[in-house]
Amino acid sequence: MAGAVEAKLAELGLALPDVVPPLASYQPAVRSGVYVYTSGQLPMVDGKLAVTGKVGAEVTPDEARELAKTCALNALAAVKSVAGDLDRIARVVKVVGFVASAADFTGQPGVINGASELLGAVLGDKGVHARSAVGVAVLPLDAPVEVEVQVELVDA
């Protein structure tokens, strides 16, 4: 049965996807004590990247912002895979976003706002977090965006 967080996702017209299988030798998420750390989540939908390329060149900032939302949704799926229930999230502690950027693109924070805003919309005050938004030359599979999330769970 879906809890309050998944009900909020449904209210927003979203559904929790299946966990994206690892592309290499790692786990999508691991738990250590009351914390869950996700691996970097790409904007995969049904096992594929819908868009590839650099933000500010082949990918617009608005497209990338939407892709960051997809990354955050994939991160929530990864959290659920080890926490069992998204209602156990006490808070999102940290978000790190990577943006494959054209040489002159400096709008990384705006792109990663897509992930931050999704987490806030779904989790309310529990979704408010510290964050880094970093421009990089290239990401796996030529993805435009990658997001990792750290959450604290209620100890239960």
Side-chain angles (χ1 to χ4, degrees), residues 12-31:
L12 295 170
L14 301 168
L16 203 62
D18 291 335
V19 177
V20 176
L23 300 174
S25 183
Y26 62 89
Q27 295 297 312
V30 297
R31 181 175 175 187

Side-chain angles (χ1 to χ4, degrees), residues 103-128:
D104 61 346
F105 182 72
T106 60
Q108 292 83 7
V111 168
I112 302 305
N113 277 350
S116 295
E117 290 165 358
L118 176 82
L119 293 168
V122 172
L123 297 166
D125 288 342
K126 295 176 183 180
V128 177

Side-chain angles (χ1 to χ4, degrees), residues 30-151:
V30 297
R31 181 175 175 187
S32 180
V34 296
Y35 295 99
V36 175
Y37 301 85
T38 72
S39 295
Q41 299 293 312
L42 300 178
M44 304 285 271
V45 177
D46 297 325
K48 298 180 200 172
L49 287 174
V51 178
T52 60
K54 305 289 184 285
V55 180
E58 301 88 1
V59 180
T60 70
D62 287 340
E63 288 172 315
R65 185 184 184 112
E66 289 301 312
L67 295 170
K69 289 180 185 179
T70 301
C71 294
L73 196 57
N74 288 338
L76 288 174
V79 168
K80 183 180 178 185
S81 75
V82 297
D85 183 351
L86 292 176
D87 289 348
R88 294 191 62 219
I89 295 174
R91 73 168 307 147
V92 177
V93 177
K94 177 90 186 239
V95 171
V96 180
F98 302 95
V99 180
S101 302
D104 61 346
F105 182 72
T106 60
Q108 292 83 7
V111 168
I112 302 305
N113 277 350
S116 295
E117 290 165 358
L118 176 82
L119 293 168
V122 172
L123 297 166
D125 288 342
K126 295 176 183 180
V128 177
H129 52 268
R131 188 182 86 181
S132 299
V134 181
V136 298
V138 67
L139 289 168
L141 304 178
D142 199 24
V145 181
E146 181 174 351
V147 172
E148 60 184 54
V149 175
Q150 176 188 355
V151 302

